[in-house]
Amino acid sequence: MVPVFVYSPDEERPWAPGAASRWWLHHSLVALDAGLRKIGSRLVVQRGDSLAALRRCIRETGATLVCWNKLYEPAALKRDARIVAALDDDGVSVEQSNAALLFEPGTILNGQRLPYRVFTPFWRTVEKHLPTLLTPAKAPRKLPPVPRSVSCIDIDDLALSPEIHWDEGLAQTWTPGEAGALKQLAQFSKHIAGYPTGRDRPDLIETSRLSPHLHFGEVGPRQIVAALRHSDTGAARTKGVDSYLRQIGWREFAHHLLFHFPATTNEPLDQRFAKQKWRRSASDLRAWQRGATGIPLVDAGMRELWRTGWMHNRIRMIVASVLTKNLQIHWLQGAQWFWETLVDADLANNTLGWQWVAGCGADAAPYYRIFNPVLQAKRFDPVRGYIRHWVPELARLPDRWIHQPWAAPEAVLQRAGVEFDKTYPRPVLDLGESRKRALQVYSQLR
Ligand SMILES: Cc1cc2nc3c(=O)[nH]c(=O)nc-3n(C[C@H](O)[C@H](O)[C@H](O)COP(=O)(O)OP(=O)(O)OC[C@H]3O[C@@H](n4cnc5c(N)ncnc54)[C@H](O)[C@@H]3O)c2cc1C
């Protein structure tokens, strides 16, 4: 057996991996190679056209069977179909498996044999099938050595790591690789009873933070189901496990949807929204990207993203709502920024998330649901710990004002050392006015 990785970003266009994903990929490959070496093998790394790289490897090894786990993104499916046909012509067998999802897309359909467009009935059907899932096999303890004659480049030659070192925050936050994923899963599993109540609190670490590991296949959803089911004891744990698996269900839903509706990476699923007119404002977009909108909860989230390559789910919803609804900037602009900066950037989840918030996707938030970052901060960042951490220039403001400094009396601002447009920006929008405008735009689209 010869483990091969081929890096071919051109084959993933227009959604080739962004900067944060490339960072993760580099470290994930290093970890994979180290793991393989421990059991007698090594990772053969190639770059360029996948088919050409595989054919070279087949020539060099005399392989008669090529196996891989499937990806279900539109570009990957097209590429894989081309490779399967070409290898078939060469007389080489191919075996494709599913490790990325609980079930193959196309196998979970509604009564009319059509894809689900609403999450709850989709998840009910998946839940019914969960007991049929096979427990994943254990990893091998020994593998045969890879012959020296097999051509291979260094992982460094893929030039995935950034030349300018903006990645310090990522390195401090994450441990890419299977060992990091399993450790994270084991730790999370101990606290899973707190997940249903804690999962909405960005100031606490109550979610699993497994998203990048799942995206890169360092742990699979079936492994997660198996691990949690086996450890399930007590009512609180059961509630925690159920609530968590439902989120894994959203991931599954997103991937099945993308499989059935591949154009949604760039177009709204709900075609009524295709005629929506968007605002263009480079300065507002930049303020949003840089965490300089003057709206503390939004700025906190965008800075967390920039520094760590990750953002809490509730905050993702809030920053996306402010961009698409209050600022009326196209959801694709937000999706592209997330694509570049998230370590868990995932075409299916990102598309679903953005279209859900913008109101144009499957089972989407209704158009009149416009998150108010001030009320959201009161509710989900009750002691404002999240804002204080990510927006330290406001840290000395009392709880009452820190999430809405524009409303604070001058004396309070002075005492806290806050000076608008010097230490912290004035808000780029009026939340109330922009909400009214958004409601008008959306009501015309219905
Ligand atoms: C605008 C927007 C963009 C998003 N972009 C991405 C993205 O590019 N990649 C990504 O993995 N997730 C994305 N999400 C979904 C979600 O925010 C993240 O999966 C979650 O925050 C990851 O943290 P966690 O692993 O601690 O999640 P947990 O709460 O521990 O959930 C466990 C797993 O379930 C899956 N999951 C959870 N929530 C969702 C969801 N709403 N949709 C789909 N899958 C979910 C993830 O794989 C996650 O790792 C996006 C959400 C929004 C609103």
Side-chain angles (χ1 to χ4, degrees):
M1 197 197 89
V2 179
V4 182
F5 173 78
V6 187
Y7 183 57
S8 29
D10 287 345
E11 295 171 9
E12 296 181 64
R13 290 202 192 287
W15 296 96
S21 297
R22 293 197 296 274
W23 176 87
W24 189 286
L25 181 58
H26 172 88
H27 293 282
S28 188
L29 291 172
V30 169
L32 178 58
D33 183 47
L36 286 167
R37 284 176 193 273
K38 271 194 199 147
I39 56 171
S41 182
R42 68 185 162 92
L43 186 64
V44 170
V45 177
Q46 303 275 355
R47 117 168 259 160
D49 180 76
S50 303
L51 177 60
L54 286 177
R55 278 185 164 147
R56 189 166 51 242
C57 202
I58 290 165
R59 254 195 331 270
E60 288 172 351
T61 56
T64 54
L65 173 66
V66 179
C67 310
W68 65 78
N69 282 328
K70 272 167 116 173
L71 294 175
Y72 300 93
E73 291 154 10
L77 286 171
K78 260 192 215 149
R79 174 197 55 200
D80 292 357
R82 180 175 66 93
I83 293 176
V84 170
L87 292 185
D88 190 48
D89 286 348
D90 298 350
V92 175
S93 305
V94 169
E95 214 175 276
Q96 300 182 78
S97 312
N98 163 38
L101 298 174
L102 295 171
F103 297 101
E104 286 257 358
T107 61
I108 305 289
L109 298 170
N110 68 16
Q112 287 86 49
R113 310 290 302 149
L114 293 171
Y116 286 99
R117 291 170 72 131
V118 178
F119 173 71
T120 302
F122 170 85
W123 181 234
R124 263 194 231 117
T125 305
V126 170
E127 274 191 313
K128 258 189 240 148
H129 288 88
L130 281 183
T132 66
L133 283 179
L134 298 174
T135 306
K138 286 213 160 61
R141 283 160 177 266
K142 196 104 201 94
L143 285 178
V146 173
R148 276 171 176 272
S149 55
V150 178
S151 46
C152 176
I153 60 172
D154 279 346
I155 294 170
D156 284 342
D157 294 339
L158 299 177
L160 295 166
S161 289
E163 277 172 19
I164 303 167
H165 283 290
W166 53 263
D167 56 331
E168 195 189 338
L170 272 58
Q172 283 166 0
T173 314
W174 301 102
T175 311
E178 188 181 16
L182 296 180
K183 191 169 161 205
Q184 187 77 6
L185 175 59
Q187 267 170 4
F188 171 68
S189 167
K190 284 188 208 147
H191 308 288
I192 200 163
Y195 182 76
T197 47
R199 62 178 283 265
D200 267 323
R201 290 279 302 271
D203 55 331
L204 309 174
I205 301 180
E206 290 280 0
T207 65
S208 70
R209 295 184 181 236
L210 279 170
S211 49
H213 297 290
L214 272 162
H215 172 76
F216 284 92
E218 296 165 357
V219 65
R222 278 186 284 141
Q223 274 174 292
I224 292 181
V225 171
L228 296 179
R229 283 270 150 101
H230 288 149
S231 70
D232 189 8
T233 51
R237 269 197 76 81
T238 305
K239 218 170 146 204
V241 170
D242 287 350
S243 166
Y244 184 70
L245 291 184
R246 200 176 156 84
Q247 291 314 116
I248 298 289
W250 272 99
R251 175 181 183 272
E252 188 81 7
F253 184 50
H255 285 78
H256 285 233
L257 273 173
L258 183 59
F259 176 80
H260 293 294
F261 305 103
T264 53
T265 53
N266 293 62
E267 290 168 19
L269 177 69
D270 184 337
Q271 277 300 312
R272 284 176 305 167
F273 290 82
K275 56 177 190 271
Q276 184 164 358
K277 299 262 182 296
W278 298 97
R279 261 182 81 233
R280 279 171 192 270
S281 166
S283 59
D284 284 357
L285 179 62
R286 199 174 161 75
W288 178 83
Q289 290 171 336
R290 300 287 155 186
T293 63
I295 302 167
L297 192 61
V298 172
D299 293 345
M302 298 310 289
R303 293 178 193 188
E304 178 182 28
L305 173 61
W306 184 251
R307 173 92 188 141
T308 69
W310 187 88
M311 192 198 287
H312 188 279
N313 182 57
R314 177 146 295 271
I315 308 296
R316 292 187 204 205
M317 295 194 287
I318 295 164
V319 302
S321 173
V322 166
L323 187 77
T324 58
K325 292 187 167 166
N326 299 86
L327 287 171
Q328 291 280 302
I329 292 178
H330 202 303
W331 59 267
L332 253 180
Q333 302 264 10
Q336 281 160 355
W337 182 252
F338 270 26
W339 189 256
E340 202 52 29
T341 50
L342 277 172
V343 285
D344 67 19
D346 180 281
L347 198 52
N349 289 355
N350 202 34
T351 303
L352 175 108
W354 278 96
Q355 292 214 20
W356 185 90
V357 175
C360 59
D363 206 356
Y367 77 94
Y368 50 80
R369 181 150 189 218
I370 298 176
F371 286 88
N372 179 326
V374 171
L375 299 180
Q376 292 281 317
K378 271 192 187 163
R379 193 155 161 218
F380 297 109
D381 188 20
V383 291
R384 319 288 189 265
Y386 183 71
I387 292 180
R388 283 208 166 79
H389 181 75
W390 291 109
V391 193
E393 63 269 39
L394 299 180
R396 286 163 52 208
L397 276 174
D399 287 359
R400 182 166 170 210
W401 303 114
I402 186 169
H403 54 308
Q404 47 180 347
W406 58 86
E410 193 50 45
V412 174
L413 292 170
Q414 264 182 21
R415 268 199 304 279
V418 178
E419 206 176 325
F420 283 120
D421 293 336
K422 272 206 172 153
T423 64
Y424 187 66
R426 246 173 244 287
V428 293
L429 51 82
D430 178 292
L431 287 171
E433 285 301 314
S434 58
R435 178 174 193 277
K436 272 193 223 145
R437 259 198 322 273
L439 287 176
Q440 258 169 11
V441 171
Y442 272 87
S443 63
Q444 285 157 14
L445 287 168
R446 277 186 299 153

